[in-house]
Amino acid sequence: QVQFVESGGGLVQPGESLRLSCAASGNYLRVYSMGWYRQVPGKQRELVASINSLSTNYVDSVKGRFTISRDNAKNMMYLQMNNLKPDDTAVYYCNRAVNPWNTWGQGTQVTVSS
């Protein structure tokens, strides 16, 4: 069963940067299109970035600020987040980009506030 561990979140001021990491069990990262999701209380979980062997995709609100990458050899995925805004405040999760597995990690909290 796949397992995810997200890390790297924190409290930052607007305009600052964070790099999130996702550790995945097994070799799932290299097989599937993977993504970073975020969720705020009272709202549905939102896919903000995805990556496969050919391309990366981003939701409009993070284009030009976030960069998704992965290291298949280490079973790791990353989300570099620059120029953070208060609207980026959320818990961030990693999972398969299409038909995510029911198993979610604990997520990592990102708070952007002055």
Side-chain angles (χ1 to χ4, degrees), residues 6-14 16-21 36-41 48 65-66 79-93 106-113:
E6 301 91 349
S7 61
L11 171 62
V12 297
Q13 295 188 346
E16 294 186 337
S17 299
L18 282 173
R19 187 190 192 213
L20 306 184
S21 298
W36 280 97
Y37 296 76
R38 67 185 180 189
Q39 188 172 28
V40 298
V48 297
R65 301 188 298 119
F66 289 12
L79 186 67
Q80 177 67 43
M81 305 187 297
N82 298 329
N83 190 21
L84 282 160
K85 302 178 179 180
D87 283 349
D88 296 320
T89 296
V91 179
Y92 286 73
Y93 304 87
Q106 82 287 351
T108 186
Q109 175 71 48
V110 172
T111 302
V112 185
S113 175

Side-chain angles (χ1 to χ4, degrees), residues 39-99:
Q39 188 172 28
V40 298
K43 292 189 176 181
Q44 282 193 324
R45 202 166 284 167
E46 173 191 31
L47 178 65
V48 297
S50 63
I51 185 169
N52 57 35
S53 59
L54 298 176
S55 65
T56 57
N57 290 283
Y58 303 91
V59 68
D60 285 346
S61 60
V62 308
K63 279 182 182 177
R65 301 188 298 119
F66 289 12
T67 302
I68 188 172
S69 62
R70 66 186 182 187
D71 185 333
N72 290 339
K74 295 182 179 179
N75 292 324
M76 294 291 295
M77 186 169 66
Y78 307 97
L79 186 67
Q80 177 67 43
M81 305 187 297
N82 298 329
N83 190 21
L84 282 160
K85 302 178 179 180
D87 283 349
D88 296 320
T89 296
V91 179
Y92 286 73
Y93 304 87
C94 55
N95 206 317
R96 192 165 55 181
V98 179
N99 295 325

Side-chain angles (χ1 to χ4, degrees), residues 25-45:
S25 61
N27 294 318
Y28 299 99
L29 290 186
R30 69 185 69 190
V31 174
Y32 295 101
S33 176
M34 298 297 297
W36 280 97
Y37 296 76
R38 67 185 180 189
Q39 188 172 28
V40 298
K43 292 189 176 181
Q44 282 193 324
R45 202 166 284 167

